[in-house]
Amino acid sequence: MKNDLFLKALKGETVNRPPVWMMRQAGRYLPEFIAIREKYDFFTRCRTPELASEITVQPIRRYGMDAAILFSDILVIPQAMNIEVQMKPNFGPYLPNPIRTQKAVDNVIVPDVKMELDYVYQAIKATKELLNDEIPLIGFAGSPWTILCYCVQGQGSKTFDKAKEFCFTNPVAAHQLLQKITDTTIAYLKEKVKAGCNAVQVFDSWGGMLSPIDYQEFSWQYIQQIIDALKKDTPVIAFGKGCWFALNDMAKSGASAIGVDWTCSPRNARYLTGGNITLQGNFDPSRLLSPPAEIRKMAHQMINEFGKDKYIVNLGHGILPNIPLDHAKAFIDAVKEYEN
């Protein structure tokens, strides 16, 4: 690996500067991505290895991040589990038959991931060829709780009230569904590593919807299973949006790094995680709308507060579609030119 800064940071090794990448860097803010989006629908892009690999490397060509993240979607998992998922333009994910009964849970399968998700592994192999060992490739999955949210709600939501109702009124069925998602996710991520991913990240996008006690029951215990199953094979990054209350548990989990969102200060994140684990984050994505000079200054300040070692520079969530290209560049360049 010509540039192994990202892998060094995951191991906690000393580096000259921290590595940088951005969640959702392969996507909607890039004109070259929009050109592909105009020709092919969402899941066609996910399922066509040549398109997925091209989309994955587009931001690397433009900005030279220290890691690539495979272009895919967390909802390929429920699709493989016999749950219909559509992606509607200007709406987002839509599941026409939400899972809300024991019978519906019984009909959900734990698939043969090698067969059902082969297109993902082919995309990984195609991406590795394009990257040519320049930088590492990250594979990812949604947390079981986050996947359940979509499966039960049937679409995105500000509250995921139906998902929570299902968990609290029918916990036996909810836990069965969570376990099926967990088993599928573990098998899926193991195949991703075999196909060439150098690290994996679990996105718990909706973990912050739960109280700390409910988080342990309906989300964290399943993420812990994933970490336990994968940590011997590859570095695992655990990222929960709005989950500052779980940072202490996350730090003891065996994960190589913990993602932090922008609502938790670097100082608090270091304190809550005990100061010994690699952290990733946590620039507010909306702050990329600030003037480039201000972005540069804030990025340097963020590195100073986290410290350059055991740290991966990233946003606190995915990059927004309306970020100007030169502002994204200012963020990446600020990290690359960092000298403490």
Side-chain angles (χ1 to χ4, degrees):
M1 197 71 60
K2 296 183 182 103
N3 173 354
D4 61 352
L5 264 184
F6 174 73
L7 299 175
K8 280 184 169 166
L10 285 173
K11 288 180 194 154
E13 293 175 9
T14 301
V15 289
N16 292 328
R17 66 159 176 90
V20 59
W21 68 281
M22 296 188 293
M23 289 185 271
R24 285 204 156 163
Q25 66 188 21
R28 57 217 176 147
Y29 68 109
L30 291 172
E32 51 269 45
F33 171 83
I34 293 164
I36 292 177
R37 185 176 67 189
E38 283 168 2
K39 289 188 199 165
Y40 305 97
D41 71 59
F42 183 79
F43 283 116
T44 300
R45 281 174 262 146
C46 289
R47 289 190 188 121
T48 310
E50 304 77 39
L51 293 177
S53 57
E54 168 60 23
I55 291 166
T56 301
V57 300
Q58 282 177 345
I60 311 305
R61 286 190 200 118
R62 189 181 270 273
Y63 299 120
M65 291 88 166
D66 298 305
I69 184 162
L70 185 75
F71 174 76
S72 185
D73 194 79
I74 63 171
L75 296 178
V76 300
I77 287 276
Q79 281 183 330
M81 298 175 74
N82 210 20
I83 301 168
E84 186 184 351
V85 182
Q86 302 168 6
M87 193 63 73
K88 290 190 168 182
N90 306 317
F91 179 82
Y94 177 68
L95 291 77
N97 306 299
I99 311 290
R100 293 181 189 165
T101 62
Q102 178 68 56
K103 186 164 184 273
V105 172
D106 292 342
N107 289 334
V108 173
I109 61 164
V110 174
D112 175 349
V113 294
K114 283 189 189 173
M115 198 167 72
E116 294 297 327
L117 293 160
D118 183 63
Y119 62 87
V120 179
Y121 318 130
Q122 296 307 321
I124 290 167
K125 287 167 186 167
T127 304
K128 292 292 283 186
E129 281 188 29
L130 290 176
L131 289 174
N132 194 27
D133 283 338
E134 291 287 340
I135 54 169
L137 178 64
I138 305 163
F140 70 91
S143 72
W145 158 253
T146 290
I147 301 295
L148 175 141
C149 280
Y150 288 105
C151 291
V152 177
Q153 196 80 23
Q155 60 188 70
S157 168
K158 285 193 165 63
T159 60
F160 285 102
D161 53 336
K162 291 184 175 71
K164 290 171 87 167
E165 179 187 354
F166 179 66
C167 288
F168 302 157
T169 59
N170 202 344
V172 172
H175 283 298
Q176 285 172 357
L177 179 57
L178 285 162
Q179 192 59 55
K180 285 182 173 185
I181 296 167
T182 303
D183 294 345
T184 305
T185 302
I186 287 169
Y188 172 58
L189 289 175
K190 285 196 164 196
E191 287 301 320
K192 278 188 155 179
V193 174
K194 281 185 201 163
C197 285
N198 304 99
V200 296
Q201 176 158 318
V202 179
F203 283 84
D204 196 10
S205 304
W206 306 123
M209 297 282 174
L210 295 166
S211 72
I213 290 170
D214 290 332
Y215 186 73
Q216 289 298 325
E217 181 178 351
F218 293 102
S219 186
W220 181 252
Q221 64 164 317
Y222 295 100
I223 295 174
Q224 184 67 65
Q225 284 185 44
I226 295 169
I227 295 167
D228 289 344
L230 267 294
K231 65 184 181 186
K232 290 187 184 72
D233 302 333
T234 196
V236 182
I237 304 168
F239 170 64
K241 185 168 182 283
C243 299
W244 62 270
F245 53 80
L247 285 173
N248 189 257
D249 289 315
M250 291 177 173
K252 298 172 186 162
S253 67
S256 293
I258 306 300
V260 185
D261 73 20
W262 67 93
T263 62
C264 186
S265 70
R267 185 180 172 188
N268 279 348
R270 286 284 181 212
Y271 172 73
L272 291 167
T273 54
N276 290 318
I277 191 166
T278 297
L279 297 180
Q280 174 178 279
N282 70 340
F283 203 77
D284 181 347
S286 298
R287 268 293 179 179
L288 291 179
L289 294 164
S290 297
E294 202 170 327
I295 292 168
R296 183 176 179 276
K297 188 173 145 197
M298 290 174 76
H300 287 177
Q301 184 182 343
M302 181 173 74
I303 298 168
N304 289 337
E305 288 179 15
F306 274 106
K308 76 169 172 68
D309 292 327
K310 293 184 181 171
Y311 177 47
I312 297 161
V313 180
N314 206 318
L315 307 176
H317 203 226
I319 188 168
L320 302 167
N322 59 334
I323 299 302
L325 296 174
D326 57 333
H327 291 219
K329 184 177 191 303
F331 180 72
I332 302 297
D333 287 352
V335 184
K336 289 175 154 185
E337 68 196 23
Y338 178 81
E339 291 170 13
N340 66 337

